Structure formats: C-alpha cells, structure tokens
Amino acid sequence: MATSSVEELRCSFCSKPRTEVGQLVAGPGVYICDQCVSLADTVIGEHRDKKADPRLPTWESLTDEQMLDHIPRVVAVVNQVETDLRSWVQELRRRGVTWARIGEALGMTRQSAWERFSGEE
C-alpha cells in the first residue's frame, strides 16, 4: 500500500485518523481502532446475558446539525473503502485476472468494472 494511503487510514466507526489512535485493525475494506474495540467489548460485556436487537440512531433522533457533522465522517470512510477496493482490483489485474471475473465478483459487467477501475477512457 502506498505511504499516502497508509497515512490517510482512519477508523471506519469513529473516523479518527490512525495518528490519533493506538492501533488500527484492518478488515475487508474497513478498519477499527483500539478505542472502538474497547467500547464494543464494554457494550458486549454489559449486555452479554440480555437479548437485544442491534440499534443505530434513527434519523428522527438526530438534529440537523448532528447529521451534518456526521456527513464528513461518512465520506471519509467511503473514500477509504473506495481506495482499498481500487487497490484490490489493481492487484487482481496485476495477477492477470480478467475484467470479466472482476466484474462478476463485483456484481457488474466486465465493461462496467473496466470503466470504473481501469483509469482509461
């Protein structure tokens, strides 16, 4: 991975850059920091014996300002995932994998995959 990409990595959950966290664990296109892992562990520990459906804040519970403040974090994660996806596709192409197979894996046509990821016009 290029140095600039590594420097831009951030937690997909809290959006903190890697320079502001102790550890950043990579998953398939997402990252989680040690602080979010600790918080998740605490929440799971507190609710271990309770049956609960996962809940995310509903839009109705957020103010316009809270939603506006959250949008840049969502965009940062989207950009990070897109960069990671492009790296995966580039590596597959370097290995000689066809656009047809890449498109199939992405749920799109060969042509759509080529247009999105080839960098050619």
Side-chain angles (χ1 to χ4, degrees):
M1 183 177 296
T3 305
S4 60
S5 296
V6 171
E7 291 171 359
E8 296 170 5
L9 293 179
R10 56 182 57 244
C11 178
S12 301
F13 296 86
C14 69
S15 196
K16 289 181 184 172
R18 70 182 285 251
T19 56
E20 293 181 19
V21 298
Q23 292 285 330
L24 198 61
V25 179
V30 296
Y31 302 85
I32 188 167
C33 71
D34 54 339
Q35 297 166 12
C36 286
V37 169
S38 179
L39 176 61
D41 186 50
T42 300
V43 170
I44 290 169
E46 290 174 0
H47 296 90
R48 188 170 309 280
D49 298 326
K50 302 172 188 168
K51 182 169 172 71
D53 294 324
R55 292 178 290 148
L56 294 173
T58 60
W59 289 346
E60 294 80 20
S61 70
L62 300 172
T63 67
D64 293 349
E65 284 306 312
Q66 289 171 316
M67 289 182 73
L68 288 168
D69 288 344
H70 191 69
I71 286 175
R73 297 189 323 198
V74 172
V75 170
V77 172
V78 168
N79 290 339
Q80 181 172 285
V81 170
E82 179 68 20
T83 298
D84 198 40
L85 178 58
R86 285 185 179 285
S87 296
W88 281 77
V89 170
Q90 287 171 354
E91 175 60 17
L92 286 166
R93 290 296 297 153
R94 188 191 68 74
R95 293 179 181 196
V97 176
T98 65
W99 284 113
R101 289 187 65 202
I102 293 168
E104 182 180 339
L106 293 168
M108 62 177 62
T109 66
R110 169 196 60 78
Q111 182 67 28
S112 294
W114 180 85
E115 288 174 1
R116 181 171 174 189
F117 296 104
S118 74
E120 298 177 32
E121 293 186 26

